[in-house]
């Protein structure tokens, strides 16, 4: 019996989808604990590429149960669209997808609030995905949210949605001069999706507790990454949930004493989408090379991702915050054409050296990375599945990272496909 948590260690898009899909092989259940359809998790299965947003990354294994936990915010239409896409592709999941009856719902007024605020010059632009994530979590914390279980009683649901709608309408129109659909349109849309969602509702906390008691292996899947965590990330340039491993406890109702392992996912370099500080960001041809070789364009919004060198201050922070005992290192192959590979080991600001992550955005925005350099390997590592087959300099780089961040690698990824992986150990 084992409960393992997988969390992103950077600013998201570390390759969690691929890693969770691979580790799911040994799990019985994969459960998403936070975020919403802002996530984009890419998985290759039988030669096809899929991008999952809400559905857990274990869905391509026919015998795995997938749970969407209470900590996730669910846009019912987005979930239905995703389910339909999988169905069209012939992926069967009828009795394998469970949704927490305590999960909060995203409605179109959340998206309108998100987009209006982002496009209004008066407010700080975060560069959100425009999916209504922030406003929906804001309603949850303000105790105004609508939970999945509220879908069961139509009259009560109408009252709840109407009260929220009136408030959002006033704000969107008066403050942002923005557009909002009519109440009837929104409510009818919700009623259309209601039946399918109700059919999947489960008391997932109780379900998971029983499964853990039955000695099943549970993989808790995080979305986004440590630096996007609302408490620990580069606030306010973060998402609105706890993407770090602690989020698995609150987002699934699993007590901390039940968690056996925490694994991180980290890219061999760094990317970020949206606004906010990024100390190792590159604006030169090296940055272009990483974007081109790594196909660094958002899986959800298609936006080009900002690219930079590996940041060990971020990595160590992620190891400590999440309690990571081992990590999956991804996209090593993307560095194949770099003559020199750099790793930032500290930040320098106004003559002071920072080895720990500073909270102050002023420091993060204006600091200079202190770099250690590694010689590149200048040959293809794509698809390498044995550590010994990697070029010597690639092995030196990986061993160097291990020392600098103080964690073992349980997996090294050398391409987007399942078999393009050096597997060192399993999780369970
Ligand atoms: P996630 O959000 O953490 O699941 O990551 P995304 O799916 O948004 O972005 C990761 C991208 O890198 C996807 O396009 C993956 O197919 C791809 N990918 C994952 N691992 C590797 C790897 O080792 N090498 C390369 N070249 N691509 C990878
Ligand atoms: P996965 O799970 C990368 C970023 C957005 C924006 C900030 C807030 O695929 O790693 P939000 O819409 O959440 O309010 O946007 O967070 N962001 C992500 N960046 N990967 C993600 O998910 C992200 N989800 C949100 O770009 O900067
Ligand atoms: Mg992604």
């Amino acid at each position: 019996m084992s409960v393992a948590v997988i969390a992103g260690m950077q600013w998201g898009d570390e390759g969690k989808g691929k890693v969770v899909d691979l580790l799911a092989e040994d799990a019985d259940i994969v459960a998403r604990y936070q975020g919403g359809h802002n996530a984009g998790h890419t998985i290759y299965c039988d030669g096809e590429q899929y991008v999952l947003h809400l559905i857990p990354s274990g869905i391509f294994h026919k015998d795995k149960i997938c749970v969407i936990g209470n900590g996730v915010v669910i846009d019912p239409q987005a979930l239905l669209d995703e389910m339909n896409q999988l169905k069209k592709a012939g992926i069967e999941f009828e009795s394998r997808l469970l949704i927490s009856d305590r999960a909060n719902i995203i409605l179109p007024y959340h998206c309108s609030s998100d987009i209006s605020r982002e496009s209004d010059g008066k407010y700080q632009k975060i560069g959100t995905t425009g999916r209504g994530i922030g406003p929906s979590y804001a309603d949850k914390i303000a105790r105004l949210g609508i939970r999945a279980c509220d879908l069961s009683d139509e009259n009560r649901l109408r009252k709840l949605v109407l009260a929220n709608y009136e408030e959002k309408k006033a704000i969107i129109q008066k403050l942002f001069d923005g557009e909002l659909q009519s109440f009837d349109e929104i409510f009818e849309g919700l009623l259309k999706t209601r039946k399918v969602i109700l059919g999947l509702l489960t008391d997932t906390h109780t379900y998971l507790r029983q499964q853990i008691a039955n000695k099943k292996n549970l993989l808790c899947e995080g979305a986004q990454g440590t630096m996007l965590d609302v408490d620990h990330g580069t606030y306010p340039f973060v998402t609105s949930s706890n993407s770090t491993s602690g989020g698995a406890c609150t987002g699934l109702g699993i007590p901390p004493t039940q968690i056996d392992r925490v694994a991180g996912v980290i890219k061999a370099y760094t990317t970020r989408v949206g606004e906010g500080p990024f100390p190792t960001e590159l604006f030169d041809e090296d940055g272009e090379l990483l974007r081109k070789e790594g196909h660094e364009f958002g899986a959800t919004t298609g936006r080009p991702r900002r690219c930079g060198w590996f940041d060990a201050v971020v990595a160590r922070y992620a190891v400590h915050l999440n309690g990571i005992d081992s990590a999956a290192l991804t996209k090593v192959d993307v560095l194949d054409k770099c003559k020199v590979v750099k790793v930032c080991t500290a930040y320098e600001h106004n003559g002071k050296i920072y080895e720990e992550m500073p909270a102050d955005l002023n420091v993060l925005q204006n600091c200079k990375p202190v770099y250690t350099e590694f010689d590149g390997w200048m040959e293809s590592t794509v698809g390498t599945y044995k550590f010994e087959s990697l070029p010597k300099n690639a092995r030196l780089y990986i061993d160097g990272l291990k020392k600098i961040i103080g964690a073992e690698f349980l997996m090294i990824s050398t391409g987007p496909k399942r078999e393009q992986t050096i597997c060192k150990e399993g999780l369970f």
Side-chain angles (χ1 to χ4, degrees):
M1 169 201 72
S2 190
V3 179
V5 180
I6 307 283
M9 293 175 68
Q10 294 156 316
W11 277 278
D13 303 327
E14 297 91 347
K16 298 178 291 298
K18 166 176 171 169
V19 172
V20 171
D21 168 67
L22 277 176
L23 295 172
E25 185 74 46
D26 298 328
D28 299 293
I29 306 155
V30 181
R32 251 290 285 279
Y33 60 82
Q34 46 70 236
H37 65 312
N38 49 349
H41 299 163
T42 315
I43 292 162
Y44 280 84
C45 173
D46 297 332
E48 289 296 318
Q49 191 206 61
Y50 300 91
V51 180
L52 297 173
H53 302 284
L54 274 166
I55 295 178
S57 302
I59 203 74
F60 298 103
H61 297 269
K62 289 184 175 62
D63 55 339
K64 314 297 174 193
I65 305 291
C66 288
V67 172
I68 299 181
N70 58 279
V72 176
V73 282
I74 301 171
D75 180 323
Q77 190 57 57
L79 179 60
L80 259 62
D81 290 347
E82 200 169 321
M83 287 166 66
N84 286 335
Q85 267 177 17
L86 289 185
K87 272 186 206 152
K88 257 193 217 155
I91 312 293
E92 290 291 337
F93 55 86
E94 226 31 71
S95 54
R96 297 194 291 120
L97 181 63
L98 313 177
I99 299 179
S100 166
D101 47 8
R102 290 178 170 87
N104 272 244
I105 295 294
I106 300 184
L107 284 162
Y109 50 70
H110 292 125
C111 302
S112 304
S113 302
D114 190 355
I115 293 164
S116 310
R117 180 177 276 269
E118 282 280 286
S119 47
D120 190 310
K122 290 199 291 293
Y123 296 90
Q124 174 67 63
K125 188 173 156 59
I126 307 293
T128 72
T129 58
R131 302 292 197 266
I133 305 294
S136 144
Y137 276 116
D139 272 7
K140 171 177 173 173
I141 300 303
R143 296 156 297 185
L144 300 169
I146 289 163
R147 295 186 303 163
C149 59
D150 296 326
L151 296 177
S152 63
D153 178 339
E154 188 178 329
N155 288 332
R156 186 165 166 273
L157 181 65
R158 179 183 290 275
K159 280 186 202 142
L160 287 173
V161 178
L162 188 59
N164 279 348
Y165 176 83
E166 295 295 350
E167 186 194 80
K168 305 304 185 255
K169 188 175 158 192
I171 296 174
I172 290 168
Q173 291 185 341
K174 292 202 180 112
L175 220 55
F176 305 125
D177 206 13
E179 298 279 333
L180 183 59
Q181 287 167 267
S182 73
F183 171 76
D184 287 344
E185 222 176 315
I186 290 177
F187 197 66
E188 271 159 35
L190 183 58
L191 290 184
K192 274 192 203 140
T193 56
R194 191 168 76 118
K195 212 171 138 204
V196 177
I197 304 286
L198 283 174
L200 303 172
L201 292 195
T202 307
D203 174 358
T204 52
H205 148 71
T206 304
Y207 170 78
L208 292 175
R209 180 163 52 82
Q210 287 162 350
Q211 297 307 308
I212 293 171
N214 289 339
K215 307 206 179 309
K216 301 287 184 193
N217 287 336
L218 167 62
L219 194 56
C220 309
E221 178 184 20
Q224 288 83 51
T226 298
M227 299 310 292
L228 289 171
D229 182 285
V230 66
D231 280 279
H232 302 288
T234 45
Y235 190 89
F237 302 100
V238 291
T239 191
S240 300
S241 61
N242 287 117
S243 42
T244 45
S245 57
C249 295
T250 52
L252 292 170
I254 295 176
T257 46
Q258 296 278 5
I259 291 173
D260 301 293
R261 292 200 66 175
V262 181
V265 184
I266 193 158
K267 257 186 234 197
Y269 52 97
T270 315
T271 63
R272 146 158 236 183
V273 198
E275 310 296 317
F278 180 177
T280 63
E281 183 168 12
L282 292 166
F283 300 95
D284 56 9
E285 62 272 23
D286 284 331
E288 269 311 314
L289 182 83
L290 294 178
R291 191 172 303 107
K292 184 167 159 274
E293 296 297 317
H295 305 287
E296 294 296 355
F297 295 88
T300 295
T301 59
R303 290 179 289 177
R305 294 175 181 151
R306 298 157 64 191
C307 297
W309 295 120
F310 189 94
D311 186 334
V313 182
V314 165
R316 283 192 302 254
Y317 184 59
V319 167
H320 299 149
L321 268 175
N322 293 287
I324 284 166
D325 54 54
S326 52
L329 180 69
T330 63
K331 304 193 90 159
V332 170
D333 55 297
V334 173
L335 299 174
D336 286 351
K337 292 183 183 159
C338 296
K339 287 196 189 83
V340 170
V341 182
K342 294 188 191 179
V343 173
C344 162
T345 54
Y347 306 143
E348 196 235 296
H349 182 254
N350 281 347
K352 192 175 160 193
I353 297 289
Y354 292 81
E355 285 183 345
E356 299 288 338
M357 181 61 62
D360 188 348
L361 284 201
N362 208 13
V363 176
L364 274 176
Q365 254 145 3
N366 300 305
C367 67
K368 233 179 96 214
V370 178
Y371 283 118
T372 292
E373 294 190 3
F374 289 79
D375 289 331
W377 41 96
M378 300 299 283
E379 61 180 286
S380 175
T381 62
V382 177
T384 305
Y385 56 91
K386 278 191 190 147
F387 189 73
E388 309 76 61
S389 308
L390 286 171
K392 183 167 165 248
N393 284 349
R395 281 184 275 134
L396 286 174
Y397 178 62
I398 294 166
D399 285 339
L401 291 186
K402 204 165 78 177
K403 282 199 196 96
I404 292 169
I405 71 172
E408 288 295 324
F409 292 126
L410 82 158
M411 185 187 280
I412 295 158
S413 175
T414 55
K417 298 185 181 148
R418 283 173 173 168
E419 63 277 14
Q420 296 175 317
T421 311
I422 299 166
C423 281
K424 296 188 131 189
E425 56 161 318
L427 259 190
F428 297 106

